Amino acid sequence: AQKVTQAQTEISVVEKEDVTLDCVYETRDTTYYLFWYKQPPSGELVFLIRRNSFDEQNEISGRYSWNFQKSTSSFNFTITASQVVDSAVYFCALNDYKLSFGAGTTVTVRA
Amino acid sequence: DVKVTQSSRYLVKRTGEKVFLECVQDMDHENMFWYRQDPGLGLRLIYFSYDVKMKEKGDIPEGYSVSREKKERFSLILESASTNQTSMYLCASSHDEAGFENIQYFGAGTRLSVL
């Protein structure tokens, strides 16, 4: 069974629009970490954010924000005022004893 | 900055060849990983290593082996390449932190085509 589900395969927006990426995870453990990674066209995955299972406080970091809801096992990620450089594949990942990735969401930001 | 370097960006091999994919990290990380990335499947773990000469199978180890003779270097070996091993291969490394908070740092990937 898929441990991390990213239901959106592709999202296309116009520059300056907000983009929200959905992530739903599955685990029986009470202690775990959630991550978002970005993979630009160059290929290298880049770490963006992480959140532990005991901290449901949502935060904003620059143009990035995330919404962690344990009750619905969701860890959604929002890019505010998108830019062309945000075009990439975004992966959600869960680490409960090893790192499991979702299938990724391709974001295209058009000028 | 952490740097994970994969020796080749693109590789074309023939069926049955023995293929070596090399990965080197410069941050003295204890942990190293090999993933393959396929469209619609995300990243799947092939093998990982927590120490020199130590290896553990991941989710899809069949058809692959690994070697870690030095801390900074982790090699993925395809003993007899097959067409279904055509894929993007990503190497990663991380510190051995307690808990599950480890951030993995990735190389740029090797796109392997097996003809």
Side-chain angles (χ1 to χ4, degrees), chain B residues 6-37:
Chain B
Q6 294 184 230
S7 54
S8 306
R9 288 300 306 270
Y10 300 94
L11 215 50
V12 180
K13 296 292 180 180
R14 299 219 172 265
T15 302
E17 276 193 77
K18 190 169 186 175
V19 181
F20 293 85
L21 302 183
E22 306 287 346
C23 175
V24 177
Q25 50 94 3
D26 67 357
M27 283 302 293
D28 202 35
H29 283 170
E30 295 81 10
N31 305 329
M32 296 190 74
F33 309 83
W34 274 107
Y35 295 89
R36 66 176 280 176
Q37 180 181 2

Side-chain angles (χ1 to χ4, degrees), chain A residues 26-42:
Chain A
E26 182 182 327
T27 181
R28 294 180 180 177
D29 294 318
T30 56
T31 303
Y32 52 88
Y33 270 80
L34 295 161
F35 300 79
W36 277 98
Y37 282 85
K38 173 184 178 181
Q39 185 180 38
S42 59

Side-chain angles (χ1 to χ4, degrees), chain A residues 66 83 106:
Chain A
W66 50 97
Q83 301 174 2
T106 300

Side-chain angles (χ1 to χ4, degrees), chain A residues 83-103:
Chain A
Q83 301 174 2
V84 172
V85 293
D86 295 326
S87 296
V89 183
Y90 290 82
F91 290 96
C92 179
L94 161 73
N95 196 345
D96 50 5
Y97 72 98
K98 69 177 179 69
L99 199 58
S100 300
F101 286 85

